[in-house]
């Protein structure tokens, strides 16, 4: 550990400073490859801290109340008694999905209609434009409509709006509701009515998908747990759920932690790649300095002392790069609210936390040093004899001793620890690092395979500049491996995101031809069925599928009541599966989205053979722990219906079509109160819009899901999510470009010398340009090919194992990468080689002499 | 009475293990040198001249044999002690000058003193630069100096720590005849005045002949002593 002592000697630092003259700019350029990675980590970490703080500060306004009690059925006397027992100030809300029409423009869309009474929100406020709209709405009625919905149809406050049978005025546009995110509002735009106005809309009918809530502000000193304790049993019996501000805060905290962890890992890829760039820069720097090291050793400098000189340079480089990273990180941090703002239910203020900045600085510096240390260690092997044997080009021999192994281990260990601290499960961190190393290894392998292939056969018939350009890829001092790593890793990360997103979106948008519905009508009452069918047909829209829907609950499984199962200590069935409402249907055949996987399908039911044979979806059968032949008793508004599991089905849930957990055979439920769903196919968006308009005019309670609208909404949400991810992935690409530039600059001297020699031997400028172009273009093309191959593999693995979807990638991103990456490489190569042709050959030869 | 030897080289041998067996580049070479004396090593390329110089200066370790300076054996010194030995008792002059390009002429000359932790390295370094006639070029970088000037800076650097032995590897190899003559004169004058033992590797027989003794090497063996 003599080098530590040497570092404490001021002369070491003075010498390091002198020794870096005329190289400082270049060293800093090389060091900059790690700046972006450090910036990414600092930005994410600082943002996470600000976000956590914002969530803590705004915890109550995340819910707008201390406690929310919610149920699927309209609150009756029993529910009222429970709510009275809880006490405090209360507001009731009814949420429904319904069509909303703006008569001025004929704009029509499915929206989330909320009927509210009371003073909710108790914490935070309904943010509206104009600001007093919420107060006027409470006093005079009307509707508060999401600003995105108003913007979609060009509507504004003062315009008329029709919800169900109610025609009213938009009193203001809704900007923010405590607890809701903007992304959520995009997916399901909200329309607020007063409770008494919602009743006038007459939307609550049989089978309506409503949700009933009561927002509660507890008296001072009262906690949610204390308030709920005496009524828990009744709430369970009434199937009432609840959420508290603390729970919301915790859930949100977990979600935000996962998000920031994910972003940190993406940022870490940039840091790691930047580290590789630093290692390369130091390697080149050290290689250039070996002769100086030998001279210093001749003059009496010890091994530790010379090592300390260059270590001091690396320390300063790391400190400067980390400082620059901190500054850039602060700038990036200020951009996060714009990139991720739509997904955040709280307002995140920009703030600087010195402790976090210092921590980020430390992590960046440590990684910079760990990466720099490996090439620095080769200084120890530099023999003073090198000063005498300059002509023989004697370099330092490549030896791997225990310090190199220790440093490699430390680097891996630090990386794994970092990854583990940013994943929910420690093992995932190990997998992440494993994946990253595997990707690097694949790119490294590709580079070496390419060099081997080129060494064996570059077609002799090709023109000389082509052969020379390709041969440069494997000749001594080539940068092939580094360039493939730097270009390939960034491209791989971006392509993986792009391909996976594309596959998943296409899976959703897969039309599948004429038999797939694109407009789904629901909430059709039994007495409206024939009229709606006639209306659909008169609009020229084809009915693809019709399904009656009956809502039931589970009463017994294998002879045990749900209450007994819930009370048992070794219960293995989830509470939600036992308590949920099951929307069932009956039909005599499988639908297009279903496949029978076990048992027998019963197209009809013989009433003499009790119980009824039902078909269960595979997943729910697993959740309920039932199989073929097991008995399930359903409760249909007090009437029990015994059934037997006769078959299991696999259902393609991704298709927008009525799909069911439980399907009965005809002959069991026909007399029960059912509402209907119609899956139809309109030939054009215009036809679909006309159908929706005539439906709203005649059957205002019927809701319509327009698949094209769902998909465009989904697309905009996914695009926003991927923007956030791509924002981070961009750091990796930018780092890759910096590493590329650094690598090309380090080889510039060699390039100038080669060019001078070639020109002396008679090569024209055109030939030399072709050589350079061939080299860069083939490097870029290979990086694109290798990254595309890797990205296809990783996106397939993600789609197959994580999303369980079929993998049908679009080749557009791959083609784009194929064109873009060689282009960028060519431009960067060209930029870093500028002036190479202008150096007079004689100048170089004189230097050489 | 013969003067007490300053540098004693005793049956020095250097072998390298290669893929095709052992290669002997220097075999049992012995000689000694007293203070103020000069010795030149001559021989064709590959005869082991540089290897012998490196071993004498403690830059490399022999396979067998020993080098003693002032009676102290280099064989018993570890790497750090060897570095200290070079810093305190040895000076070097190289064919390609080997000035550190990022350091000015003055800084280059100061380095050996700084390495020893000398309290005021600037004074002696400036004096020596004045002696070699480069007082007005002390703030220039090597790239701004001619070959002859660079070698004079190297000579100043070699003498600045008052070495006991000075090793010069082809000191005029990269210089024209006139400049070479000036450099050689300066080297021998400084050597005489500072009572340093000078070991010189050269192809230049005229220069070699100026030394008190000439060691001729061929195939790693000493073939003749003049």
């Amino acid at each position: 550990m003599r080098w530590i002592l040497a570092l404490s000697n001021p002369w070491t630092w003075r010498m390091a400073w002198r020794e870096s003259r005329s190289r400082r700019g270049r060293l800093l350029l090389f060091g900059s490859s790690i700046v972006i990675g450090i910036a990414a980590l600092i930005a994410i970490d600082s943002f996470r801290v600000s976000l956590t703080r914002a969530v803590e500060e705004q915890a109550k306004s995340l819910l707008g109340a201390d406690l929310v009690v919610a149920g699927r059925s309209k609150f009756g006397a029993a529910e009222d008694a429970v709510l009275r027992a809880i006490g405090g100030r209360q507001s009731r809300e009814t949420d429904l999905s319904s069509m909303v029409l703006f008569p001025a423009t004929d704009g029509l869309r499915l929206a989330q209609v909320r009927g509210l009474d009371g003073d909710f929100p108790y914490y935070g406020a309904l943010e509206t434009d104009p600001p007093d709209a919420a107060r006027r709405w409470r006093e005079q009625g009307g509707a508060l409509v999401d600003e995105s919905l108003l913007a979609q149809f060009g509507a504004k406050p003062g315009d008329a709006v029709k919800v169900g049978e109610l025609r009213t005025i938009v009193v203001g546009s809704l900007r923010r509701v405590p607890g809701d995110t903007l992304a959520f509002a995009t997916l399901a735009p909200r329309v607020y009515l007063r409770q008494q106005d919602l009743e006038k809309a007459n939307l609550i009918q049989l089978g309506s998908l409503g949700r009933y809530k009561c927002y509660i502000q507890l008296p001072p000193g009262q906690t949610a747990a204390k308030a709920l304790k005496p009524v828990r049993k009744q709430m369970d019996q009434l199937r009432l759920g609840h959420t508290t501000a603390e729970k919301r805060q915790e859930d949100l905290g977990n979600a935000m932690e996962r998000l920031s962890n994910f972003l940190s890992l993406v940022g870490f890829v940039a840091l790691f790649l930047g580290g590789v760039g630093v290692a390369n820069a130091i390697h080149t720097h050290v290689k250039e300095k070996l002769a100086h090291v030998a001279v210093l050793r001749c003059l009496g400098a010890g091994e530790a002392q010379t090592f300390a000189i260059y270590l001091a340079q690396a320390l300063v480089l790391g400190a400067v790069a980390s400082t620059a990273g901190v500054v850039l990180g602060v700038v990036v941090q200020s951009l996060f609210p714009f990139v991720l703002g739509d997904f955040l239910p709280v307002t995140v203020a920009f703030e600087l936390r010195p402790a976090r900045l210092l921590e980020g600085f430390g992590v960046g510096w440590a990684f910079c040093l760990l990466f720099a240390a490996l090439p620095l260690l080769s200084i120890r092997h530099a023999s003073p004899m090198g000063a005498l044997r300059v002509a023989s080009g004697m370099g330092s021999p490549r030896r791997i001793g225990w310090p190199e192994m220790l440093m490699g281990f430390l680097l891996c260990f630090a990386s794994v620890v970092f990854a583990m601290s940013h994943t929910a499960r420690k093992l995932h961190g190990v997998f992440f690092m494993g994946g990253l190393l595997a990707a690097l290894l694949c790119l490294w392998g590709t580079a070496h395979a390419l060099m081997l292939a080129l060494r064996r056969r570059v077609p002799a018939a090709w023109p000389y500049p082509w052969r020379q350009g390709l041969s440069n890829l494997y000749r001594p001092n080539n940068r092939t491996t580094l360039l493939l790593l730097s270009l390939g890793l960034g491209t791989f990360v971006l392509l993986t995101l792009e391909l996976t997103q594309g596959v998943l979106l296409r899976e959703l948008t897969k039309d599948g031809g004429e038999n797939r519905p694109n407009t789904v009508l629901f909430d059709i009452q039994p007495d409206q069925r024939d009229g709606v069918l006639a209306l659909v047909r008169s609009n020229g829209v084809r009915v693809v599928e019709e399904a009656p829907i009956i809502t039931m609950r589970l009463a017994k499984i294998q002879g045990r009541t749900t209450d007994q199962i819930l009370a048992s200590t070794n219960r293995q069935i989830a509470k939600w599966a036992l308590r949920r409402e099951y929307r069932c249907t009956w039909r005599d055949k499988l639908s297009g989205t279903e496949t029978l996987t076990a048992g027998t399908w019963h197209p009809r039911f013989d009433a003499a053979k009790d119980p009824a044979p039902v078909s269960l979806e595979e997943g729910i059968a697993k959740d309920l722990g039932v199989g073929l032949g097991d008995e399930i008793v359903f409760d249909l508004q007090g009437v029990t219906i015994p059934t037997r599991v006769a078959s299991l089905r696999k259902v393609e849930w991704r298709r927008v079509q009525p799909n069911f957990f439980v399907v009965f055979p005809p002959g069991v439920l026909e007399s029960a109160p059912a509402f209907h769903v119609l899956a139809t196919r309109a030939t054009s968006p215009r036809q679909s819009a006309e159908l929706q308009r005539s439906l709203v005019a005649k059957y205002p309670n019927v809701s319509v899901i327009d698949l094209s609208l769902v998909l465009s909404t989904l697309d905009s949400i996914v695009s926003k999510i991927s923007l956030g991810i791509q924002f981070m992935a961009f750091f990796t690409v930018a780092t890759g470009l910096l590493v590329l530039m650094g690598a090309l600059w380090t080889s510039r001297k060699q390039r100038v010398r080669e060019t001078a020699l070639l020109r002396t031997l008679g090569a024209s400028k055109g030939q030399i340009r072709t050589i350079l172009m061939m080299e860069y273009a083939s490097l870029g093309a290979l990086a694109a090919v290798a990254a595309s191959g890797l990205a296809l593999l990783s996106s397939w693995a993600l789609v197959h194992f994580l999303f369980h979807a079929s993998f049908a990638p679009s080749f557009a991103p791959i083609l784009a990468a194929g064109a873009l990456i060689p282009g960028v490489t060519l431009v960067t190569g060209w930029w870093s080689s500028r002036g190479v042709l202008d150096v007079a050959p004689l100048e170089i030869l004189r230097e050489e002499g | 009475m013969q003067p007490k030897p300053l540098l004693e080289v005793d049956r020095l041998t250097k072998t390298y293990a290669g893929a095709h067996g052992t290669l002997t580049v220097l075999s049992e070479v012995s000689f000694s040198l007293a203070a103020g004396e000069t010795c030149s090593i001559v021989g064709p390329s590959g005869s082991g001249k540089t290897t012998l110089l490196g071993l004498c200066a403690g830059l490399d370790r022999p396979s067998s044999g020993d080098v003693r300076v002032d009676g102290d054996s280099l064989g018993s010194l570890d790497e750090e002690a060897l570095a200290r030995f070079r810093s305190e008792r040895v000076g070097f002059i190289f064919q390609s000058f080997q000035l550190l390009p990022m350091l000015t002429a003055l800084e280059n000359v100061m380095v050996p003193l700084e390495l020893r932790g000398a309290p005021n390295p600037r004074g002696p370094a400036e004096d020596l630069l004045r002696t070699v006639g480069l007082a007005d070029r002390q703030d220039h970088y090597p790239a701004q100096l001619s070959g002859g000037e660079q070698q004079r800076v190297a000579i100043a650097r070699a003498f600045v720590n008052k070495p006991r032995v000075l090793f010069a590897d082809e000191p005029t190899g990269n210089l024209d005849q006139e400049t070479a003559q000036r450099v050689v004169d300066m080297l021998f004058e400084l050597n005489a005045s500072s009572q340093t033992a000078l070991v010189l590797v050269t192809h230049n027989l005229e220069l070699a002949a100026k030394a008190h003794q000439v060691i001729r090497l061929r195939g790693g063996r000493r073939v003749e002593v003049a």
Side-chain angles (χ1 to χ4, degrees):
Chain A
M1 294 292 140
R2 285 187 182 129
W3 58 270
I4 297 178
L5 208 65
L7 269 183
S8 64
N9 183 349
W11 179 79
T12 304
W13 293 89
R14 206 162 52 238
M15 194 62 195
W17 179 247
R18 289 175 186 162
E19 237 283 323
S20 65
R21 277 177 194 150
S22 87
R23 288 285 186 277
R24 282 174 207 148
R26 225 176 73 176
L27 267 175
L28 286 179
L29 170 72
F30 300 157
S32 66
S33 59
I34 206 158
V35 169
I36 292 177
I38 296 171
L41 287 183
I42 285 193
I44 294 158
D45 199 46
S46 303
F47 183 68
R48 183 173 61 81
V49 175
S50 303
L51 186 61
T52 309
R53 192 186 155 105
V55 168
E56 276 167 14
E57 283 174 357
Q58 301 165 46
K60 298 268 187 186
S61 69
L62 287 175
L63 202 59
D66 294 316
L67 174 67
V68 179
V69 174
R72 283 282 178 195
S73 316
K74 195 169 182 191
F75 291 168
E79 285 88 351
D80 287 345
V82 166
L83 293 169
R84 264 197 311 277
I86 294 172
R89 290 172 71 199
Q90 301 190 351
S91 281
R92 301 274 177 105
E93 186 185 283
T94 305
D95 294 359
L96 292 161
S97 292
S98 172
M99 302 307 285
V100 172
L101 174 75
F102 295 95
T105 52
D106 250 3
L108 188 66
R109 179 173 172 167
L110 185 67
Q112 201 187 146
V113 179
R114 295 177 177 180
L116 183 69
D117 70 9
D119 296 329
F120 174 82
Y122 298 111
Y123 307 102
L126 294 176
E127 287 177 29
T128 56
D129 182 29
D132 67 338
R135 183 185 53 76
R136 285 193 287 117
W137 166 75
R138 284 183 208 275
E139 289 167 8
Q140 300 157 17
L144 291 174
V145 182
D146 243 319
E147 59 180 356
S148 65
L149 188 56
L150 290 179
Q152 185 182 352
F153 297 114
K156 58 187 184 310
D159 286 359
V161 60
K162 193 164 179 266
V163 183
E165 291 171 12
L166 175 76
R167 190 187 164 102
T168 187
I169 299 293
V170 178
V171 289
S173 75
L174 199 56
R175 286 195 165 154
R176 197 175 265 272
V177 177
D180 286 353
T181 62
L182 284 177
F184 176 76
T186 314
L187 201 60
R190 300 152 299 187
V191 175
Y192 271 82
L193 299 174
R194 293 188 304 178
Q195 187 77 38
Q196 65 258 41
D197 294 334
L198 180 67
E199 276 157 25
K200 283 181 207 154
N202 200 21
L203 289 170
I204 306 163
Q205 299 193 14
L206 170 69
S208 294
L209 297 165
R211 191 163 171 80
Y212 301 85
K213 291 179 183 171
C214 180
Y215 293 98
I216 303 165
Q217 186 189 32
L218 294 167
Q222 176 76 303
T223 64
K226 228 191 270 177
L228 287 167
K229 202 174 175 189
V231 292
R232 271 193 194 276
K233 203 168 173 193
Q234 291 98 304
M235 281 178 67
D236 270 356
Q237 281 165 353
L238 293 167
R239 297 172 196 257
L240 292 174
H242 71 272
T243 310
T244 63
E246 292 78 21
K247 179 78 171 55
R248 175 66 70 93
Q249 183 187 347
E250 192 187 317
D251 290 348
L252 189 69
N254 289 340
M256 293 301 147
E257 185 76 20
R258 279 196 291 275
L259 173 72
S260 65
N261 277 346
F262 171 74
L263 294 178
S264 291
L265 288 179
V266 180
F268 182 67
V269 176
L271 180 74
F272 202 86
L273 183 59
V276 173
V278 165
N280 169 63
I282 297 289
H283 171 74
T284 311
H285 181 63
V286 164
K287 210 166 153 189
E288 280 179 9
K289 297 288 180 184
L290 281 179
H292 305 178
V293 173
V295 173
L296 281 170
R297 297 289 309 278
C298 280
L299 298 179
E303 211 176 87
Q305 205 161 14
T306 40
F307 176 71
I309 290 171
Y310 295 95
L311 180 64
Q313 288 182 347
L315 280 166
V316 174
L317 174 73
V320 172
S322 299
T323 309
V326 169
V327 174
L328 186 64
V330 169
V331 175
V332 175
Q333 183 197 344
S334 66
L335 297 177
F336 270 116
F338 300 105
V339 179
L340 296 171
D342 285 359
F343 296 91
L344 305 175
V346 287
T347 313
V348 182
F350 175 78
E351 59 177 334
L352 290 177
R353 295 257 172 156
R356 290 288 156 177
L357 299 185
L358 210 63
E359 191 184 314
F361 175 88
V363 170
W365 201 14
F367 269 98
C368 190
L369 280 183
L370 282 172
F371 274 104
L374 272 172
L376 273 181
L377 284 171
S378 64
I379 286 177
R380 296 174 312 119
H381 305 308
S383 162
M385 279 297 280
L388 296 178
R389 298 198 187 273
V390 181
S392 66
M394 180 178 157
S396 66
R398 272 192 178 184
R399 268 185 275 158
I400 297 179
W402 69 263
E404 282 85 356
M405 284 198 273
L406 177 70
M407 210 46 75
F409 170 77
L410 276 178
L411 186 57
C412 287
F413 181 71
S415 305
V416 171
V417 167
F418 182 92
M420 276 166 54
S421 65
H422 285 80
T423 42
R425 290 187 193 164
K426 304 288 171 229
L427 201 61
H428 289 176
V430 179
F431 285 156
F432 170 80
M433 267 319 290
L436 181 60
L437 288 178
L440 288 171
L441 210 65
C442 281
L443 290 167
W444 180 85
T446 309
H448 281 258
L450 169 82
M451 287 191 272
L452 198 71
L454 286 174
R455 201 189 296 267
R456 294 223 168 131
R457 59 175 66 198
V458 172
W462 284 11
Y464 170 75
W466 291 26
R467 281 184 284 126
Q468 176 73 11
L470 286 174
S471 304
N472 280 347
L473 296 180
Y474 66 80
R475 292 203 168 126
N477 295 323
N478 67 72
R479 294 285 188 277
T480 306
T481 308
L482 185 76
L483 294 192
L484 266 187
L485 285 184
S486 59
L487 283 169
L489 198 62
T491 315
F492 156 66
V493 172
L494 261 188
L495 271 182
T496 301
L497 294 172
E498 200 64 37
L499 286 174
T500 310
Q501 180 191 332
V503 166
L504 295 180
L505 267 181
R506 248 189 324 285
E507 182 78 10
L508 288 167
T509 54
K510 201 160 61 181
D511 190 320
E514 289 300 303
N515 290 324
R516 292 279 175 87
N518 55 14
T519 311
V520 179
L521 286 55
F522 61 97
D523 278 359
I524 305 166
Q525 301 303 305
D527 58 337
Q528 296 173 327
R529 177 185 169 267
D530 295 340
V532 172
L533 268 174
L535 189 69
V536 168
R537 285 179 184 133
S538 69
N539 272 278
V541 175
R542 193 158 57 84
V543 175
V544 179
E545 197 181 334
E546 185 201 346
I549 295 180
I550 294 164
T551 309
M552 305 181 206
R553 290 183 186 278
L554 280 175
K556 287 182 187 173
I557 298 175
Q558 290 288 76
R560 295 174 74 205
T561 66
T562 48
D563 285 343
Q564 283 172 335
I565 300 171
L566 279 167
S568 78
T569 48
N570 60 347
R571 170 169 60 90
Q572 286 176 342
I573 306 170
K575 196 173 172 183
W576 69 266
L578 290 168
R579 293 187 49 188
R580 64 166 291 142
E581 279 187 332
Y582 284 83
R583 290 167 205 278
C584 310
T585 192
W586 74 85
R587 55 179 136 81
D588 58 0
K589 56 181 183 295
L590 290 165
S591 77
T593 58
E594 298 171 327
T595 326
L596 200 68
T597 55
T600 317
W601 177 261
H602 289 259
R604 65 189 62 80
F605 170 57
D606 182 353
K609 290 182 188 168
D610 231 15
V614 293
S615 179
L616 256 64
E617 188 266 343
E618 277 180 338
I620 198 71
K622 200 174 161 193
D623 288 336
L624 291 172
V626 294
L628 291 176
D630 286 350
E631 291 198 351
I632 300 175
V633 177
F634 287 95
D635 175 351
L636 172 57
Q637 295 180 3
V639 179
T640 54
I641 303 176
T643 65
R644 175 177 53 82
V645 180
S647 65
L648 297 176
R649 286 164 301 128
K650 188 176 180 180
V651 175
E652 264 190 70
W653 292 102
R654 275 185 294 270
R655 284 213 228 154
V656 182
Q657 197 162 326
N659 287 313
F660 299 91
F661 281 139
V662 187
V663 178
F664 281 73
V668 186
L669 302 172
E670 278 81 345
S671 56
F675 68 99
H676 293 258
V677 173
L678 280 183
T680 67
R681 183 170 180 90
T683 49
S684 67
R686 188 178 168 165
Q687 195 181 42
S688 173
E690 273 166 18
L691 170 65
Q692 290 179 46
R693 269 194 289 276
S694 46
L695 266 171
V696 164
K698 205 164 177 191
Y699 303 101
N701 65 297
V702 173
S703 297
V704 180
I705 296 177
D706 183 343
L707 193 60
S708 61
L709 182 67
V710 169
L711 293 178
S712 67
T713 310
L714 211 60
D715 194 24
S716 80
I717 298 272
V718 171
S719 297
K720 278 179 182 170
I721 296 172
S722 61
L723 177 71
I725 298 171
Q726 279 166 357
F727 183 69
M728 295 308 301
F730 168 76
F731 285 95
T732 312
V733 175
T735 301
L737 279 178
L738 276 176
V739 175
L740 169 73
M741 279 195 275
L744 293 178
W745 270 104
T746 52
S747 58
R748 188 180 155 85
K749 199 172 169 186
Q750 182 190 342
R751 232 158 266 285
V752 169
R753 196 167 55 236
E754 280 171 6
T755 304
L757 283 173
L758 282 172
R759 284 178 62 199
T760 312
L761 296 174
S764 68
K765 282 191 176 184
Q767 280 175 315
I768 289 169
R769 276 195 201 105
T770 312
I771 290 171
L772 290 175
M773 235 158 71
M774 192 70 193
E775 185 180 344
Y776 295 136
S778 50
L779 256 177
L782 197 83
V785 169
S788 301
L790 268 177
L792 277 170
L793 197 71
S794 61
S795 50
W796 168 80
L798 280 174
V799 168
H800 187 75
F801 294 112
L802 195 65
F803 299 109
H804 304 290
S806 54
F807 187 64
S810 155
F811 285 91
I814 291 177
L815 289 176
L820 213 63
I821 301 301
V824 168
T825 318
L826 209 58
V827 170
T828 316
W830 202 247
W831 179 77
S832 60
S833 305
R834 71 194 195 286
V836 162
L837 282 170
D838 303 331
V839 179
L842 197 60
E843 213 173 294
I844 303 301
L845 297 177
R846 198 176 283 144
E847 267 180 34
E848 291 288 302
Chain B
M1 184 184 156
Q2 276 216 330
K4 195 181 166 202
L6 178 61
L7 172 70
E8 293 170 87
V9 175
D10 183 21
R11 300 161 67 85
L12 215 50
T13 300
K14 181 71 180 177
T15 57
Y16 290 102
H20 306 290
T22 307
L23 175 70
T24 303
V25 291
L26 200 67
S27 180
E28 307 236 332
V29 175
S30 302
F31 70 94
S32 64
L33 208 60
E37 280 188 351
T38 54
C39 146
S40 59
I41 304 170
V42 295
S45 296
S47 61
K49 301 187 297 293
T50 304
T51 303
L52 177 59
L53 188 79
L55 290 172
C56 292
L59 300 180
D60 204 357
R61 291 184 181 278
S63 305
S64 67
D66 195 14
V67 176
R68 284 184 297 277
V69 176
D70 274 336
D72 297 331
S73 166
L74 301 191
S76 60
L77 304 180
D78 64 12
E79 275 306 317
E80 288 301 310
L82 272 177
R84 214 162 38 247
F85 157 76
R86 289 195 292 269
S87 151
E88 291 167 0
R89 298 200 231 172
V90 167
F92 282 99
I93 296 169
F94 305 94
Q95 177 179 357
S96 49
F97 325 131
Q98 295 288 23
L99 297 178
L100 295 168
M102 313 302 179
L103 274 59
T104 62
L106 179 66
E107 286 169 344
N108 263 290
V109 181
M110 280 159 58
V111 167
L113 293 175
E114 290 178 323
L115 277 169
R116 289 168 63 175
N120 178 22
R122 199 180 175 91
E126 282 177 341
D127 289 346
L128 263 164
L129 277 175
R130 204 172 299 117
T131 308
V132 298
L134 291 172
D136 56 337
R137 311 295 299 272
Q138 64 179 30
D139 292 328
H140 287 215
Y141 288 97
Q144 297 167 315
L145 301 172
S146 70
E149 287 168 334
Q150 286 190 52
Q151 196 59 305
R152 278 146 65 195
V153 174
I155 290 171
R157 182 177 69 180
F159 280 99
V160 79
N161 61 346
K162 298 189 170 55
R164 301 287 285 142
V165 191
L166 186 71
F167 294 97
D169 182 25
E170 296 279 7
T172 57
N174 279 358
L175 303 174
D176 63 75
Q177 205 175 352
E178 195 181 328
T179 313
Q181 190 56 52
R182 281 185 64 195
V183 165
V184 166
D185 291 346
M186 193 174 286
L187 186 60
F188 276 79
E189 276 165 28
L190 276 167
N191 185 61
S193 62
S194 57
Q195 280 299 291
T196 307
L198 172 67
V199 180
L200 195 70
V201 165
T202 184
H203 277 113
N204 183 338
L205 294 178
E206 205 179 314
L207 171 62
K210 289 188 175 182
H212 295 109
Q213 61 173 308
V214 176
I215 297 164
R216 189 175 296 276
L217 293 179
R218 188 180 294 275
R221 290 181 177 278
R222 185 170 178 181
V223 289
E224 177 192 336
V225 179

